[in-house]
Amino acid sequence: MTETMRGTAVVTGGTKGLGGGVSLELARAGYEVLALYRRDAAAARKLDESLSREGLRGRSLQYDVTEGVPDDEFWARTEIVEASSLVLVHNAVAAFSPKPFHLLAWDDFVRAHDVAVRGLWLCASGLLRPMLRMGGGTIVAVLTSGLGDAPPKGFADYLTAKAGQGALLRSLSAEYAGRGLRTLSVRPGFMNTSLTEGWHPALQAAMRKSVSITDPAAVAARILALMDDATLPAAGESYDV
């Protein structure tokens, strides 16, 4: 077990895939982790077992990031109000299967924005006051997965939601950087996760040709390194993995 506590890290979508990797990476680095998940109880149990087996501080917590602002009463039940510093890593993303724009319904865009943008807004709203009381905090988002510069076909709902996340991070920085808030995002390449494993094999092959292939563990390590570098600009900047 890491003896020195570095603070509390809240990771949305934090029990499997990239989120599970981030939760473990931060716990190993000395953070107490709250890994939020919506409904996959089996993945949550597996993460809890990994944390316990390694003697790490943290646990899974069922919470739908689109349901409402987690208020002080909610955080009090998690003992997060006793943390010395706070980090939010917003990794949650709505499940989707890429398809052409003319086949997308407005509900597809709403679903993507609900998790990516509204979820970030709700979690940031719930954590902002305790962060500012502590003299600042860090908010990290996982953005375009390397798709933003040359977007492929079929990702209109996903990419517009991720663009909204980036705008929200920059807006938060504009208002609260002077009070110690750091905001940044990472742009990983294509990853084999539960989100992508159901995609058609031809689409997966095309993605591997068009963007870099990234291991979730490398993304988790990159997030930790960016958080640890106090000299790095963190006013909504996006960093490749």
Side-chain angles (χ1 to χ4, degrees):
M1 177 182 292
T2 303
E3 295 298 329
T4 303
M5 278 293 295
R6 301 178 61 181
T8 297
V10 178
V11 184
T12 69
T15 58
K16 61 184 179 181
L18 174 57
V22 171
S23 294
L24 286 172
E25 182 78 16
L26 297 186
R28 289 166 181 157
Y31 286 92
E32 181 172 12
V33 171
L34 289 174
L36 306 186
Y37 72 100
R38 183 184 179 192
R39 60 187 176 191
D40 193 338
R45 285 194 299 271
K46 185 176 180 180
L47 176 71
D48 287 336
E49 290 167 1
S50 296
L51 292 168
S52 177
R53 184 168 54 249
E54 295 188 36
L56 302 171
R57 292 183 175 94
R59 62 188 177 92
S60 62
L61 184 66
Q62 188 169 22
Y63 177 75
D64 186 339
V65 299
T66 68
E67 286 301 307
V69 175
D71 56 20
D72 285 348
E73 181 181 350
F74 173 86
W75 295 126
R77 295 197 300 272
T78 70
E79 299 181 352
I80 199 170
V81 292
E82 300 176 9
S84 58
S85 64
L86 285 174
V87 172
L88 168 63
V89 179
H90 189 54
N91 166 73
V93 62
F96 77 103
S97 181
K99 51 188 174 183
F101 180 82
H102 68 275
L103 296 179
L104 286 171
W106 180 241
D107 283 349
D108 294 314
F109 285 85
V110 171
R111 183 165 51 250
H113 281 72
D114 264 353
V115 178
V117 183
R118 187 166 181 262
L120 175 58
W121 168 66
L122 288 169
C123 289
S125 296
L127 287 172
L128 186 60
R129 283 184 294 173
M131 280 181 172
L132 296 181
R133 285 197 295 265
M134 296 170 191
T138 303
I139 299 176
V140 182
V142 180
L143 289 191
T144 59
S145 299
L147 304 177
D149 296 332
K153 299 175 182 179
F155 285 80
D157 50 347
Y158 174 85
L159 288 175
T160 54
K162 291 298 186 178
Q165 276 190 333
L168 180 52
L169 288 176
R170 292 189 295 274
S171 298
L172 284 167
S173 179
E175 295 194 41
Y176 300 107
R179 299 179 66 182
L181 183 67
R182 304 175 75 236
T183 68
L184 57 94
S185 60
V186 294
R187 292 165 34 119
F190 180 81
M191 292 178 286
N192 291 312
T193 68
S194 58
L195 177 67
T196 62
E197 65 184 6
W199 293 359
H200 192 279
L203 173 60
Q204 294 191 41
M207 291 298 298
R208 291 188 181 95
K209 284 185 177 181
S210 61
V211 300
S212 61
I213 310 301
T214 309
D215 180 70
V219 182
R222 177 66 163 154
I223 288 173
L224 178 61
L226 291 169
M227 287 167 46
D228 281 348
D229 190 348
T231 67
L232 198 71
E237 287 83 0
S238 186
Y239 296 94
D240 289 332
V241 176

